[in-house]
Amino acid sequence: MRIGLIGTGRIGTFHAKVLSRHARVGALVVTDVDAPRAERLARAIGATAAPSADEVFAWGVDAVVITSATASHADLLVRAARAGLPAFCEKPVAADLPGTLRALRAVAAAGSPLQLGFMRRFDAGYAKAREAVRAGRLGRLHTVRTVTSDAEPPPAAYVPLSGGLFRDCLVHDFDMVRWVTGREVTDVYAAGSDRGPSVFREAGDVDTAAALLTLDDGTLVTATATRCNGAGYDVRMELAGERDQLVVGLDDRTPVTSAEPLGPPPATRPWTGFLERFGAAYEAELDAFVRFARGERDNPCDGRQALEALRVAEACELSRRERRPVRLAEVPGLEGAV
């Protein structure tokens, strides 16, 4: 295959390196608004640098990977769909819900394949948890707890463009709640705190948040996140059932310290960030896209799946802002399949 990759920032560079060594990718074309950056990357990995996204589409690629700035996602994935090209797009589809709905409707009308980037679906721990829940090994699931804590805040320039803590960060937890349990969120109640760096307050965002979700079978979920976890990067999911409990993300690199005299020792090499923690999952995700684009497997995360996680995030942001419970039915969705 010949794949075009648009956007050579941090995640784009990572994806380009993975694709450049993939056995079924014969050629890779990369581009970026920062043309010298794309050229440097192309030289380093044996790819071809294109002057712009126009050339990527014009040079006859078989599929497109979109890792550019959020503001460009919707236009690029719609363009790929109308060109009949399978596309992989890092979340989010667009900067807001109306833009997301417009883009997904256009993709649906074009009928072209679109895979969204929710890498935790390819993490071994989450996959094992999903299998255990679906097989009934925990018994009736009554409580789920999720944690996502960044070791340090993102760059200040990124915060106003991120969409906020619920849409940018916790959306991964919301996707995992749906994917692991197989249930839908019906109600949310969320709160946030902006006591950390002033850049979050200035952007109308929060640096720490908590949400209580109710699933359609009555299971209760708590989801917490923070941008300021000095101990390290911490991502976990705890699932409690009538028979057993299971934890994702608990190992010798989890940045927690036990207060118990006989507890495990603290991590000597705590996780530092998402690329390190989920590196293997990102590689598996891109392998799935290559095989999906070649018609060798089903789509592991289509537009509707990504939209449903975003709808939960939107409901949480509305709840935080208006200080009230919010039903998912208040958040618009799509009519028809995507």
Side-chain angles (χ1 to χ4, degrees):
M1 298 185 69
R2 191 181 199 204
I3 292 183
L5 182 141
I6 303 171
T8 59
R10 179 168 57 166
I11 192 65
T13 294
F14 183 93
H15 286 344
K17 290 177 179 178
V18 171
L19 291 168
S20 71
R21 58 179 183 264
H22 195 287
R24 295 186 179 182
V25 177
L28 181 64
V29 179
V30 302
T31 193
D32 195 278
V33 292
D34 183 344
R37 181 169 68 181
E39 290 166 3
R40 289 192 298 271
L41 175 62
R43 286 195 300 269
I45 64 175
T48 301
S52 71
D54 290 340
E55 284 76 15
V56 170
F57 286 102
W59 289 358
V61 296
D62 301 307
V64 176
V65 171
I66 300 167
T67 53
S68 51
T70 293
S72 66
H73 286 187
D75 287 343
L76 289 170
L77 65 88
V78 170
R79 186 173 179 180
R82 290 174 175 166
L85 294 173
F88 173 91
C89 183
E90 279 296 339
K91 65 87 183 164
V93 169
D96 56 22
L97 183 62
T100 298
L101 293 171
R102 285 193 299 272
L104 292 181
R105 288 185 180 119
V107 170
S112 291
L114 169 64
Q115 178 183 331
L116 268 293
F118 280 87
M119 76 292 185
R120 293 189 197 180
R121 291 179 175 230
F122 301 88
D123 177 75
Y126 283 105
K128 183 175 180 180
R130 185 177 194 259
E131 179 186 0
V133 171
R134 301 300 182 91
R137 290 199 288 272
L138 304 184
R140 180 184 67 85
L141 193 65
H142 52 74
T143 308
V144 179
R145 295 175 285 271
T146 75
V147 174
T148 293
S149 301
D150 288 336
E152 58 185 14
Y158 175 76
V159 174
L161 308 175
S162 70
L165 189 59
F166 291 106
R167 301 184 191 96
D168 179 54
C169 182
L170 275 162
V171 70
H172 285 287
D173 298 270
F174 302 149
D175 182 60
M176 282 300 92
V177 167
R178 297 183 64 252
W179 189 74
V180 169
T181 68
R183 313 305 306 191
E184 298 294 341
V185 177
T186 60
D187 303 85
V188 310
Y189 188 82
S193 169
D194 62 2
R195 296 174 60 208
S198 62
V199 64
F200 295 100
R201 289 188 293 279
E202 293 162 1
D205 194 9
V206 294
D207 59 78
T208 303
L212 172 64
L213 318 177
T214 303
L215 305 188
D216 57 13
D217 65 348
T219 301
L220 296 179
V221 180
T222 59
T224 65
T226 184
R227 299 291 197 182
C228 308
N229 195 58
Y233 183 71
D234 188 8
V235 171
R236 279 174 283 134
M237 172 182 259
E238 301 175 4
L239 300 123
E242 289 184 329
R243 294 181 190 164
D244 202 357
Q245 295 191 97
L246 188 64
V247 183
V248 178
L250 182 61
D251 58 23
D252 62 359
R253 300 194 65 183
T254 305
V256 294
T257 299
S258 174
E260 299 300 329
L262 300 179
T268 57
R269 289 191 312 120
W271 298 108
T272 58
F274 64 90
L275 282 178
E276 183 186 31
R277 167 67 176 83
F278 291 108
Y282 277 116
E283 293 205 30
E285 178 182 56
L286 285 177
D287 177 68
F289 173 66
V290 171
R291 291 190 288 123
F292 167 56
R294 290 169 57 91
E296 297 171 357
R297 65 158 293 166
D298 293 334
N299 192 343
C301 187
D302 62 17
R304 182 169 292 282
Q305 295 297 311
L307 174 63
E308 292 310 311
L310 175 62
R311 290 181 66 232
V312 179
E314 291 286 334
C316 286
E317 180 58 30
L318 180 61
S319 176
R320 179 190 75 85
R321 203 166 55 242
E322 298 187 358
R323 299 185 177 223
R324 66 175 178 88
V326 173
R327 292 189 60 80
L328 259 291
E330 297 180 48
V331 181
L334 282 174
E335 297 296 329
V338 175

